[in-house]
Amino acid sequence: MRDRIALWKRVYDTDDNAISKALSKLAWDLTAFTCVVEMVRHAPDVDDGKRLNGMVLEMLVTGFWSSTMQGVRRLAERDTVHGAYGVCSISGLLLDAKAIRQRVTRRVFVEDIAGLAYNYSAVEEQYWQFARAQPPGDAYLVPREYQYEPSAQRHAVFDWLSGTTSGTSTPDDLIREEVFDALERRLAGLDGVVEHVNVEIAHAATEFSRTGRVLPRWNLDDAKDAIKELAQIAQLVGEWFCYSGIGSVLPHPSFDQFAHLDQPLFNGDTHQLQVTWDGLEQEIRQWHDVDPRTL
């Protein structure tokens, strides 16, 4: 069981593709692109539209929507967290915890997942013994082994999860099935995005196979709502099964994220850009000239 929990914690926090890291990237890109939209809104108008370079802007727009929708799909996809094809997804972690619901007892929830003492009343008694032994009026730090509140809070969370009370609880209490069902229903609300990515981005679906599986619309507000939904579900899944959480999912920039925006994107001679474009165009024009004898 402890190996299973260690896997959940890696999937949630420490893997290169961990859930918490993926959510932070989604939140960062969403916020950055929202600022780009604001920049476009304030850009000067000319007769044929905004005074902005269409080539660069189109790359920004296409890149944002593609990476964001794929990011939502990766976190919502229902797949295993085990083995050669294991994925770091919220759905995968949730389904794995549900599959062994009978083993995620109150004792496991407190001791193995959170690493806390099960009997917080005994810890509280040790705390008061420690406190009474300190010189009157002096400030002191309470050692971790005497901190009983985290265990008490953890039990209170499991009271709700299991539908019990502090007076009726036992070490073998289990999480109610409807708790898992409720989270799965919320994740299912993102199935439309997952299907859209499957047919429009991740796979080159035919016209027939795309029918009924493509989102009719998905704007910036929809993207924000999807990421918020994932963040809220991830917070609960992480708190319950990893004794962790996403915290403030948007990273605080350690640099000036708006530096040099008051400067032109390119201040040199565009002739050199044209030379670069023309050279690559000439090369690409030859790609279709294939001699089958070289196969």
Side-chain angles (χ1 to χ4, degrees), residues 10 14-18 21-22 88:
R10 287 197 301 273
T14 61
D15 192 280
D16 288 344
N17 291 325
K21 296 176 183 178
C88 297

Side-chain angles (χ1 to χ4, degrees), residues 4 8 19 75-82 87 89-101 104 180-181 183-185 187 233 237 241:
R4 197 71 160 263
W8 294 347
I19 291 167
L75 288 173
E77 67 176 324
R78 299 178 182 89
D79 215 330
T80 181
V81 296
H82 299 278
V87 298
S89 80
I90 300 170
S91 286
L93 199 159
L94 178 63
L95 290 172
D96 198 56
K98 182 180 181 181
I100 59 167
R101 185 181 74 89
V104 186
F180 291 97
D181 294 341
L183 290 180
E184 287 182 311
R185 281 195 299 271
L187 280 167
I233 298 169
V237 170
F241 304 116

Side-chain angles (χ1 to χ4, degrees), residues 1-9 82 96 99-100 103:
M1 187 63 198
R2 290 182 178 178
D3 288 342
R4 197 71 160 263
I5 293 167
L7 171 62
W8 294 347
K9 294 185 177 185
H82 299 278
D96 198 56
I100 59 167
R103 296 169 60 189

Side-chain angles (χ1 to χ4, degrees), residues 36-171:
V36 171
V37 170
E38 192 67 10
M39 289 161 53
V40 172
R41 191 172 72 84
H42 286 281
D45 288 302
V46 292
D47 293 339
D48 57 347
K50 294 289 185 178
R51 191 177 297 173
L52 295 167
N53 183 270
M55 177 185 70
V56 172
L57 197 61
E58 181 62 24
M59 287 183 65
L60 283 174
V61 171
T62 302
F64 168 75
W65 288 116
S66 177
S67 65
T68 297
M69 297 187 90
Q70 288 187 77
V72 171
R73 173 187 179 269
R74 290 174 65 180
L75 288 173
E77 67 176 324
R78 299 178 182 89
D79 215 330
T80 181
V81 296
H82 299 278
Y85 298 99
V87 298
C88 297
S89 80
I90 300 170
S91 286
L93 199 159
L94 178 63
L95 290 172
D96 198 56
K98 182 180 181 181
I100 59 167
R101 185 181 74 89
Q102 298 294 329
R103 296 169 60 189
V104 186
T105 63
R106 179 185 292 268
R107 186 176 294 281
V108 167
F109 190 78
V110 175
E111 292 186 344
D112 295 327
I113 296 178
L116 301 170
Y118 184 85
N119 189 344
Y120 62 86
S121 296
V123 178
E124 183 178 9
E125 177 58 33
Q126 293 174 348
Y127 161 75
W128 286 114
Q129 292 177 8
F130 169 81
R132 286 191 290 266
Q134 304 309 306
D138 286 357
Y140 56 89
L141 294 175
V142 179
R144 187 177 184 275
E145 61 266 26
Y146 298 146
Q147 296 174 13
Y148 61 90
E149 293 95 339
S151 177
Q153 293 165 359
R154 191 73 172 164
H155 275 280
V157 170
F158 206 84
D159 286 344
W160 181 84
L161 288 171
S162 60
T164 59
T165 67
S166 58
T168 62
S169 65
T170 72

Side-chain angles (χ1 to χ4, degrees), residues 210-228:
R210 292 196 305 268
T211 304
R213 300 170 66 195
V214 177
L215 290 174
R217 56 175 287 278
W218 209 66
N219 58 31
L220 200 55
D221 285 337
D222 296 316
K224 182 170 68 173
D225 289 344
I227 297 170
K228 177 182 177 181

Side-chain angles (χ1 to χ4, degrees), residues 22-43:
L23 277 169
S24 289
K25 184 181 186 306
L26 282 172
W28 178 273
D29 289 351
L30 173 74
T31 308
F33 188 74
T34 301
C35 291
V36 171
V37 170
E38 192 67 10
M39 289 161 53
V40 172
R41 191 172 72 84
H42 286 281

Side-chain angles (χ1 to χ4, degrees), residues 176-227:
R176 292 172 290 134
E177 286 193 60
E178 51 263 39
V179 172
F180 291 97
D181 294 341
L183 290 180
E184 287 182 311
R185 281 195 299 271
R186 290 188 63 171
L187 280 167
L190 299 171
D191 283 352
V193 182
V194 174
E195 279 296 290
H196 181 89
V197 174
N198 287 341
V199 300
E200 284 290 321
I201 300 175
H203 306 287
T206 64
E207 180 181 2
F208 179 78
S209 69
R210 292 196 305 268
T211 304
R213 300 170 66 195
V214 177
L215 290 174
R217 56 175 287 278
W218 209 66
N219 58 31
L220 200 55
D221 285 337
D222 296 316
K224 182 170 68 173
D225 289 344
I227 297 170

